[in-house]
Amino acid sequence: QLQLQESGPGLVKPSETLSLTCTVSGGSISISAYWWGWTRQSPEKGLEWIGIIRYNGDTYYKASLESRVTISVDTSRNQFSLKLNSVTAADTAVYYCARFKQVAASSLLDYWGLGTLVTVSS
Amino acid sequence: EIVLTQSPGTLSLSPGERATLSCRASQSVSRNYLAWHQQKHGQAPRLLIYGASNKATGIPDRFSGSGSGTDFTLTISRLEPEDFAVYYCQQYGTSPYTFGQGTKLEIK
């Protein structure tokens, strides 16, 4: 059974970089039919799609976050990662990693991780 | 970006009753790429419906989705105790993918 597990610091200081890793088990991250990505949830903004990556490094990001976001993939470890720099309190959220299935002209979020809370505070 | 508005915000029903949840888009959803996700407290969200009306793997028959263009509906024909949760619609036809604010389905 597919499992996605987020890991990383739960507390990040303002202006620093938020770094999270998602470890995928029960399936390979290198299958071309799937993308892997991040979504976050906060009381203020609700659910917000951040971006996706495929095993070959192709990426798509939400335009409003693109200047601060990097998603990378490590196929040897079956992991992918999120970096969000210059964080503020507005970046406090539960961050979910997820699998996205390639469909015609898009990708469908079909499997979620459990999520991890990241708080931005000094 | 496409704004999704869900109604009602909270729906209070009893087990065995029928639930109808609405999702309205600010512009037409391309290819009717509209999904519904269920979120229970302390659990990972899960995909219920994709392409407006297709059930994801393992989803019971009491769940159904309908609609096209800008108006979509999730129907639960007879509520089971485990169905009380928060439901989100999501469009994946146009980047950035966006979500509705959610409908909380609570026990009356």
Side-chain angles (χ1 to χ4, degrees), chain A residues 5 10 65 70 104:
Chain A
Q5 179 67 60
L65 296 172
T70 302

Side-chain angles (χ1 to χ4, degrees), chain B residues 88-104:
Chain B
Y88 294 95
C89 58
Q90 180 227 341
Q91 68 81 21
Y92 54 102
T94 302
S95 183
Y97 307 154
T98 51
F99 294 84
Q101 82 280 15
T103 290
K104 180 180 181 181

Side-chain angles (χ1 to χ4, degrees), chain A residues 51-118:
Chain A
I52 52 175
I53 191 167
R54 205 156 57 167
Y55 72 99
N56 62 355
D58 289 344
T59 53
Y60 288 101
Y61 299 132
K62 183 175 183 178
S64 61
L65 296 172
E66 190 164 10
S67 62
R68 298 196 292 131
V69 171
T70 302
I71 299 177
S72 58
V73 64
D74 185 341
T75 55
S76 66
R77 296 188 176 193
N78 227 35
Q79 294 176 334
F80 60 101
S81 298
L82 169 71
K83 290 190 186 299
L84 180 66
N85 59 37
S86 305
V87 298
T88 69
D91 296 309
T92 294
V94 175
Y95 285 75
Y96 296 95
C97 63
R99 186 182 78 174
F100 293 74
K101 180 180 178 181
Q102 178 72 49
V103 296
S106 186
S107 60
L108 166 67
L109 195 169
D110 71 344
Y111 214 90
W112 298 73
L114 191 58
T116 188
L117 174 62
V118 178

Side-chain angles (χ1 to χ4, degrees), chain A residues 10-14 18 40-46 48 68 84 87-95 116-122:
Chain A
L11 181 64
V12 182
K13 290 183 169 56
L18 179 159
R40 66 183 181 179
Q41 184 176 30
S42 65
E44 295 77 23
K45 296 182 185 177
E48 181 181 25
R68 298 196 292 131
L84 180 66
V87 298
T88 69
D91 296 309
T92 294
V94 175
Y95 285 75
T116 188
L117 174 62
V118 178
T119 301
V120 178
S121 175
S122 54

Side-chain angles (χ1 to χ4, degrees), chain B:
Chain B
E1 67 182 47
I2 294 178
V3 176
L4 298 179
T5 302
Q6 292 187 240
S7 60
T10 302
L11 186 57
S12 300
L13 293 170
S14 301
E17 290 192 294
R18 180 185 186 91
T20 303
L21 287 66
S22 175
C23 176
R24 176 163 291 177
S26 60
Q27 57 187 276
S28 184
V29 176
S30 177
R31 300 177 182 244
N32 290 327
Y33 277 174
L34 192 288
W36 291 91
H37 302 269
Q38 178 192 63
Q39 185 175 35
K40 296 181 184 180
H41 184 68
Q43 296 185 20
R46 70 165 174 166
L47 173 68
L48 299 175
I49 301 288
Y50 64 95
S53 61
N54 301 289
K55 272 192 287 287
T57 302
I59 301 305
D61 287 343
R62 64 182 180 273
F63 289 90
S64 64
S66 63
S68 65
T70 60
D71 289 295
F72 300 89
T73 301
L74 174 69
T75 302
I76 310 171
S77 58
R78 286 180 58 85
L79 286 166
E80 297 286 342
E82 62 266 28
D83 298 336
F84 292 91
V86 182
Y87 293 83
Y88 294 95
C89 58
Q90 180 227 341
Q91 68 81 21
Y92 54 102
T94 302
S95 183
Y97 307 154
T98 51
F99 294 84
Q101 82 280 15
T103 290
K104 180 180 181 181
L105 181 53
E106 64 177 25
I107 299 177
K108 187 173 183 180

